[in-house]
Amino acid sequence: MKIEVFKENFESIQADCSVAWVWDKNLDNLADKTILQELNFKDMALVQGSKTLYVNVAQKNSDCLREGAYKAVRYLNALTYKSVKIPTFLDEELDYAITLGALSGSYEFDKYKSEKKPFTLQTLCFSNLSQKLIEKAQILFDSLKLVRDLVNTPPCDATPSYLAEISKSEAQKLGIECKVLDKKEIEREKMHSLLSVARASSEEPKVIHLSYKPKNAKAKLVFVGKGLTYDSGGLSLKPSEFMVTMKADKSGGCASLGIILAIARLNLPLEVHTIIGAVENMIGGNAYKPDDVLSSREGKSIEVRNTDAEGRLVLVDCLSYAQDLAPDYLIDLATLTGACVVGLGEYTFGIMGHNEELKSVFEREALKSGELVAKLPFNSHIRKLIDSKIADICNVASNRYGGAISAGMFLSEFIRKENEQKWLHLDIAGPAYVEREWDINPYGGSGAGVRACVEFAISLCEEK
Ligand code: BES
Ligand code: ZN
Ligand code: ZN
C-alpha cells in the first residue's frame, strides 16, 4: 500500500473515493445525511453517489480512529477503488493512529492460497501529514507484517532454522548483527534446559542473537522471545483441539525480531539485543519426560512435572544468556500460559516483574501504542507453589490457580539479584493469535507486543 501526501486541503485531493468520520452516529451536518438515515446508518456505509465511505467512530481518540481506518480499508478493498483519501486532524497522535490502522488493514496472508486475490486498493491519500509520522507508521507496519507472516507460516516450513535464516536476512538488510547458535554452540553454552525441550524434535534448535549498536546509545535493552515453532505439549501431549494454533507459540520470538528491526529503522539511540529461543516441542523415544530433572545455564536444577510447560524451560536459558549482556532493561515476550488468557481475556497481555515503576511506565506506553495490557502481581504464596521436593524448582505449580503468575515467578528464579529491577515479563498468549478479527488485527498472528515495546523504547529516548 502506497501513501501519498498532498499539500492542498482534504477537499481538493483527487482520489477515487473518500472516508468521512461520523462521530458517535451523529449525522447532522453530513452531506449525505438523508441517504444515511434511509440506510439506517450504524457502523459503516458507502454512498455510491458521493463515493464516500462513512465510518462511525464512537469517540475522537486514537483507539477508535485506528480501528475505524483499519475497517475502512478492509471494506474498500472488496470494491474496485484504487485510491482513497482519509481525513486527518493535524494531531500527531490521532493521525499516526489513522495511518497505522489504514496500513494494517492492507494485511493479507495468502502465501498458501493457489488463487491470490490482488489488493485493489493501492493508495492512501492524506492532506498535510508529516514525513516523520508516515515513516514511523510504515516502519511499525512493516514489523507487524513480518511478525504476522512468520507466525502464520505453518510449522512444516517455519522451523527453528527458518526463523534463523529470516533473522539473518532481515538483519543483513539493515546492517545489524545476527549470530545464530547451533546445537553444538548451545551445548557449549550449557543451555541444557532449552536443549531438553528440543531433544525429541528432528529440527535442530537455534538460539538467535541479533544486535543493534548505535554509537550514541543511551541505554541497553535486551529482548528475549519464546520461539516455539511448534508446541505439541511433548509427552504431556496436548489434546488435539488445543494443539491447533500452536504454530503461534513462536509469537514472542517473532515479536522480539520485529521490535529490534523497528528500533534500528527508527535509528533510536539505544543498544538493543534480541535473543530468540527457537525450538520445537515434540514427542519421541528420546523426549524429555515428566519426572526428569534438568540442569539450567544459571546452575539451578529443574524438576519437570509437565512437558507442556516448556516455554519457561526455553526462556530461562535465554534469560541467562541475555543477562551476560549486562542490560539496563531486560524484557521477555512469550505465549507462556493459557491461564493468562483465562485471566485477562484474549485481547490483553500480562505484564509481570518486580519493579512497580517500570511496570507502570511500560503499561502507560503500551496503552498509548494501542495495545491492551494489565499488570499481574507476584506474591510469596504463589512462589511456594513451584517448590520442588527433589530439585531447586519445579516447572509447574502444585495448584492450578494463578498459572500466569506462577509461570512468571518461575522465570523470576533465574533473574539475578542485580537484574531484578530491570526485568519485565510479558505473557502475550491472549492477543498473539487471533481467531476472530478484532481492532486492527486480522485472522492469524497479530504482532502482539511489537507496538508496546517500540513505544516503550521511544519513551526511553524522550525522557533522558
Ligand atoms: N504455549 C502454551 C501456552 C498457550 C496456551 C499459549 C494457549 C497460547 C494459547 C504453553 O506452553 C503451555 O502449554 N502452557 C501450559 C502450562 C501448564 C502445563 C502449567 C498451559 O497453559 O496449559
Ligand atoms: Zn506448552
Ligand atoms: Zn508453549
Side-chain angles (χ1 to χ4, degrees):
M1 185 81 75
K2 231 173 50 212
I3 293 181
E4 268 184 45
V5 181
F6 295 82
K7 283 209 182 71
E8 57 256 55
N9 60 20
F10 184 75
E11 285 69 31
S12 323
I13 297 174
Q14 298 288 321
D16 294 349
C17 64
S18 64
V19 164
W21 305 119
V22 179
W23 305 112
D24 200 20
K25 303 196 177 110
N26 182 356
L27 303 178
D28 296 343
N29 306 320
L30 296 179
D32 293 310
K33 181 177 173 179
T34 332
I35 305 176
L36 290 169
Q37 276 170 337
E38 277 164 17
L39 289 171
N40 192 17
F41 176 84
K42 282 205 174 70
D43 279 331
M44 205 153 39
L46 179 77
V47 177
Q48 300 268 0
S50 62
K51 293 182 180 168
T52 304
L53 178 67
Y54 289 90
V55 180
N56 188 58
V57 181
Q59 281 171 36
K60 191 177 176 179
N61 63 33
S62 47
D63 289 336
C64 295
L65 284 163
R66 191 185 305 107
E67 188 176 351
Y70 169 88
K71 280 192 179 151
V73 168
R74 280 196 111 58
Y75 182 96
L76 289 171
N77 192 50
L79 310 175
T80 52
Y81 302 115
K82 287 210 164 83
S83 62
V84 58
K85 56 176 176 172
I86 307 178
T88 50
F89 301 94
L90 284 174
D91 174 309
E92 211 174 301
E93 207 182 305
L94 300 182
D95 296 350
Y96 168 71
I98 292 170
T99 316
L100 185 61
L103 284 171
S104 203
S106 71
Y107 181 77
E108 212 65 63
F109 184 71
D110 57 7
K111 194 172 159 193
Y112 292 85
K113 291 263 192 201
S114 312
E115 228 175 277
K116 324 244 187 245
K117 278 187 250 142
F119 221 85
T120 47
L121 196 62
Q122 279 161 16
T123 314
L124 303 171
C125 306
F126 296 102
S127 164
N128 270 316
L129 269 196
S130 82
Q131 205 47 47
K132 204 174 143 221
L133 183 154
I134 294 173
E135 221 173 272
K136 182 180 169 192
Q138 190 67 58
I139 287 171
L140 262 290
F141 175 62
D142 289 346
S143 271
L144 288 177
K145 181 177 175 340
L146 175 76
V147 178
R148 289 174 180 180
D149 281 347
L150 285 174
V151 171
N152 290 335
T153 301
C156 53
D157 288 339
T159 60
S161 308
Y162 179 84
L163 286 192
E165 284 315 311
I166 297 284
S167 299
K168 273 196 224 163
S169 69
E170 291 296 322
Q172 200 179 17
K173 283 186 209 163
L174 297 184
I176 67 174
E177 287 171 47
C178 179
K179 185 166 112 189
V180 176
L181 279 67
D182 61 16
K183 194 174 157 215
K184 276 220 172 68
E185 288 161 306
I186 301 173
E187 279 166 359
R188 240 177 272 141
E189 286 288 340
K190 301 195 167 57
M191 299 168 108
H192 298 299
S193 177
L194 180 150
L195 285 164
S196 303
V197 176
R199 208 163 59 213
S201 170
S202 49
E203 296 295 335
E204 197 184 303
K206 304 283 179 193
V207 171
I208 306 162
H209 177 183
L210 297 110
S211 29
Y212 161 63
K213 298 176 181 167
K215 287 205 180 71
N216 53 345
K218 289 180 181 176
K220 194 192 288 184
L221 272 81
V222 181
F223 293 97
V224 171
K226 170 176 173 181
L228 263 288
T229 59
Y230 203 66
D231 179 13
S232 69
L235 288 178
S236 314
L237 197 65
K238 283 184 186 292
S240 37
E241 64 271 31
F242 290 122
M243 209 184 288
V244 189
T245 72
M246 279 304 136
K247 65 171 182 181
D249 215 18
K250 56 185 176 313
S251 297
C254 298
S256 62
L257 170 64
I259 291 163
I260 194 171
L261 297 175
I263 292 176
R265 286 183 64 196
L266 288 165
N267 283 315
L268 295 187
L270 298 167
E271 179 173 332
V272 181
H273 296 260
T274 278
I275 318 295
I276 305 168
V279 176
E280 197 182 49
N281 186 21
M282 298 296 281
I283 53 173
N286 59 346
Y288 83 124
K289 309 165 193 69
D291 284 345
D292 273 347
V293 173
L294 317 177
S295 67
S296 66
R297 191 178 184 276
E298 278 297 284
K300 286 200 176 179
S301 62
I302 306 167
E303 178 191 1
V304 176
R305 291 181 74 91
N306 191 319
T307 61
D308 196 12
E310 83 301 332
R312 61 197 81 182
L313 300 174
V314 170
L315 282 176
V316 293
D317 277 349
C318 293
L319 282 165
S320 166
Y321 178 98
Q323 288 175 91
D324 287 357
L325 300 166
D328 297 311
Y329 299 92
L330 174 60
I331 302 177
D332 73 72
L333 297 100
T335 46
L336 205 60
T337 64
C340 199
V341 194
V342 174
L344 298 179
E346 56 188 341
Y347 312 113
T348 304
F349 72 75
I351 306 175
M352 284 161 259
H354 296 283
N355 183 334
E356 292 305 323
E357 199 197 325
L358 182 58
K359 282 191 286 182
S360 296
V361 170
F362 189 91
E363 179 189 41
R364 186 189 70 211
E365 296 305 320
L367 293 171
K368 199 169 116 190
S369 81
E371 294 205 67
L372 296 176
V373 295
K375 293 184 279 185
L376 295 176
F378 288 162
N379 67 64
S380 59
H381 306 288
I382 290 188
R383 165 62 191 83
K384 286 189 206 121
L385 303 178
I386 49 173
D387 277 338
S388 163
K389 292 223 165 42
I390 64 157
D392 296 336
I393 193 95
C394 181
N395 85 325
V396 283
S398 54
N399 169 325
R400 68 194 180 91
Y401 300 115
I405 297 173
S406 56
M409 294 202 83
F410 177 88
L411 300 179
S412 163
E413 287 299 303
F414 296 80
I415 302 296
R416 299 169 200 161
K417 193 101 205 108
E418 68 266 28
N419 295 325
E420 258 177 14
Q421 296 298 309
K422 304 173 180 172
W423 169 65
L424 286 179
H425 160 54
L426 311 178
D427 192 335
I428 59 169
Y433 197 76
V434 173
E435 292 188 271
R436 286 165 297 276
E437 197 167 343
W438 63 278
D439 195 43
I440 63 162
N441 305 307
Y443 179 85
S446 67
V450 171
R451 285 185 280 156
C453 289
V454 174
E455 209 60 55
F456 173 71
I458 293 172
S459 77
L460 294 177
C461 305
E462 285 163 355
E463 272 160 22
K464 281 171 198 164

